Structures are given as structure tokens and as C-alpha cells.
Amino acid sequence: MTNPKHLTKAVSFAAIAIAFLLAAGCSPSSTSLKDLASTIEDGNGSAGTPDTGEQTPTEPSNPTEPSAPSVPDNSYKIEALSWETSTNPERRQWSEYLHKIILDDWNTLLGGADDMSKFCPRYNSLDNDQRANVWAALFSAMAKYESAYSPTSRMHETTMGTDPVTGNPVYSEGLLQLSYQDVQWARWCEFDWSKDKNLAAKDPRKTILDPYKNLYCGVGIMAKQIKNKGLITVGSGAYWAVLKSGGKYQKISEISGMVKKLSFCK
């Protein structure tokens, strides 16, 4: 609210100034009253439209390939994961994405698991960047035996009946072999059957086959398992058969051997 005393002062000062200009033979129109007022009391800031920083979204240049989420520069250089090859450069982006989400979104994993030494004997002496690298190596190794590193891999789960989300038989899909029904309990998973149902079974545009969405969902499932059970390998309640202790399809020694290849785990 404007102070009446200040207003009176402002008006008086302006009147004196105008009278002075007239006495000097100048028209008040030759001097801006706005400029004169600014010498009396500053305004309260710009009245322009604020810049919200928002930009108009653009479509990916190639709609058949999922676009990689932005991964900010990090001084830490992640050691190569098992899926990285010179003929598959996009997989380096998978590695960097895994490292980022483990550090930022699923950092409860950094505390490790009760059987962590089975995969990286020196885990407890590592810093957080290295620990995230270990977990990323674990997921990459799992993907070798779950999907052969293929984002469009699908397998019919013949003993699991009907997926309540799709109304079709249950399929495990993508890098970490996940299912649409997982969204019912793993609410962080971004699989959208309403968008995918009209696409071909192995269309890479399907949300469940997007390598980044698939990895994000799978890392969260592992974080929940570690929180509840404290173990990577479990005998019952295992989500992934390759990590089920004593299971028919377990690949625990192979996966641990791949993770141990990291220089700081030796």
C-alpha cells in the first residue's frame, strides 16, 4: 500500500520541478515525467511476462527407436558393462542411465545386500559411484541370461495364466523380462498397455520394450527385494529365475563372475 506521506512528497517535488522547467523556458513535455518520477521512488520490478523456462516438446527424430533420457555429465567414468560392444554403441547409454538412476532414484541399493560379497568382495570399501557401477554390472549380467541383451525379447510364461492388465497370457518382456501385470504392485513402472495394445508384439515403441523404462522398473523391483529380504539371491519369492538359489534356471555363479571382473571388485 502506498504511504500518503510519500505520495505528498512525490507530488510536491514534481510540481516544483515542473515550475522550475517552465521558469527556465522549457516545456514539461521535453522531459519525461516517468523519468522524473523514477528519481523520486523506484518501482516494484518488471511488469513483463515471466519466463517459465518451458519449451515446446518435440517428437523423437526416429519414432521406432526410444529416445535416451538425458544423463548429465559426471566426472566418474563408469567401467564398461557386459553388454557394451563396438557394434552396439547405444548400450553405453544404457550403462550410464543405470548408473544415474541407481545413484539418484534407487540409492537405497548403495547400502548393499547381505550377499554382496558374492558379487563384489570389496564392495564395502567402495565409494558410491563405484557401488552404483557394481549394481549396474549386476543388471547387465542378468540381462544376458534373461534376454540375451535384446530389448524386444519376449517369453510366454506358460505356468502363470492370464495377465490381468492385458487379458492375454502372461509374457516376460524386454531387457529384464518384466510383465504388464507388474504395474499393479510396482507403481513406479511406466508400462502402458492402453498405448501398446495396438502395436505389434515386438514393436520397439511399446513402453515395456523401451530399454530405459524396462531398466527403471527392474531396478526398482530389485530395490524392493533388498529392502524386504536383504539378499540378491533368494530361494523363495525370487522375481528372476536366474537369481533363484537352487533354481532350475539359476545363473548365479555366471552372473557373479561377470560382476567380479570390475577392476575395483578384484
Side-chain angles (χ1 to χ4, degrees):
M1 181 176 180
T2 305
N3 189 317
K5 291 183 179 179
H6 290 172
L7 181 59
T8 302
K9 279 185 177 181
V11 172
S12 299
F13 187 85
I16 293 169
I18 292 170
F20 176 81
L21 291 171
L22 289 172
C26 297
S27 168
S29 62
S30 65
T31 301
S32 168
L33 294 180
K34 179 178 180 182
D35 292 341
L36 181 61
S38 69
T39 67
I40 302 171
E41 188 172 0
D42 289 334
N44 63 343
S46 170
T49 303
D51 182 2
T52 63
E54 296 179 353
Q55 297 179 343
T56 302
T58 57
E59 292 295 323
S61 57
N62 185 348
T64 64
E65 292 293 335
S67 56
S70 175
V71 178
D73 291 336
N74 189 323
S75 58
Y76 178 79
K77 183 175 176 59
I78 185 172
E79 284 198 20
L81 306 187
S82 60
W83 54 33
E84 294 181 35
T85 68
S86 59
T87 56
N88 298 99
E90 76 282 359
R91 294 180 184 177
R92 180 64 185 180
Q93 292 180 306
W94 300 352
S95 301
E96 293 171 350
Y97 176 72
L98 266 179
H99 188 259
K100 178 183 182 298
I101 63 173
I102 292 166
L103 282 174
D104 296 346
D105 298 345
W106 303 112
N107 54 27
T108 56
L109 288 173
L110 300 176
D114 293 342
D115 55 352
M116 203 77 217
S117 61
K118 185 183 298 184
F119 298 87
C120 181
R122 299 184 59 238
Y123 187 84
N124 289 338
S125 66
L126 305 181
D127 62 31
N128 282 346
D129 276 312
Q130 293 170 324
R131 291 185 178 199
N133 203 154
V134 171
W135 281 104
L138 174 70
F139 288 110
S140 174
M142 288 167 56
K144 176 179 180 179
Y145 296 103
E146 287 288 343
S147 65
Y149 304 142
S150 171
T152 58
S153 173
R154 301 178 77 242
M155 185 181 75
H156 178 202
E157 301 289 359
T158 58
T159 63
M160 295 181 67
T162 300
D163 187 317
V165 172
T166 68
N168 299 322
V170 173
Y171 274 81
S172 291
E173 308 188 54
L175 286 175
L176 294 179
Q177 293 292 279
L178 311 178
S179 301
Y180 284 99
Q181 63 183 355
D182 295 335
V183 302
Q184 294 185 313
W185 61 273
R187 298 304 177 93
W188 58 87
C189 298
E190 299 178 333
F191 308 148
D192 191 338
W193 176 243
S194 67
K195 292 181 178 179
D196 297 349
K197 62 184 179 181
N198 294 321
L199 298 174
K202 291 194 173 185
D203 191 320
R205 292 176 297 175
K206 288 175 62 178
T207 55
I208 200 169
L209 301 183
D210 181 316
Y212 302 99
K213 286 181 170 58
N214 200 276
L215 290 171
Y216 193 88
C217 178
V219 174
I221 290 173
M222 177 63 78
K224 185 177 179 68
Q225 176 179 310
I226 299 303
K227 179 182 178 181
N228 292 340
K229 298 178 179 292
L231 295 166
I232 296 170
T233 61
V234 292
S236 62
Y239 185 93
W240 292 281
V242 296
L243 293 177
K244 183 177 180 179
S245 300
K248 180 180 179 181
Y249 303 105
Q250 65 89 12
K251 295 290 181 181
I252 296 170
S253 61
E254 291 86 349
I255 291 172
S256 64
M258 294 168 72
V259 178
K260 285 177 183 175
K261 290 181 179 179
L262 294 172
S263 64
F264 40 76
C265 284
K266 297 176 181 178

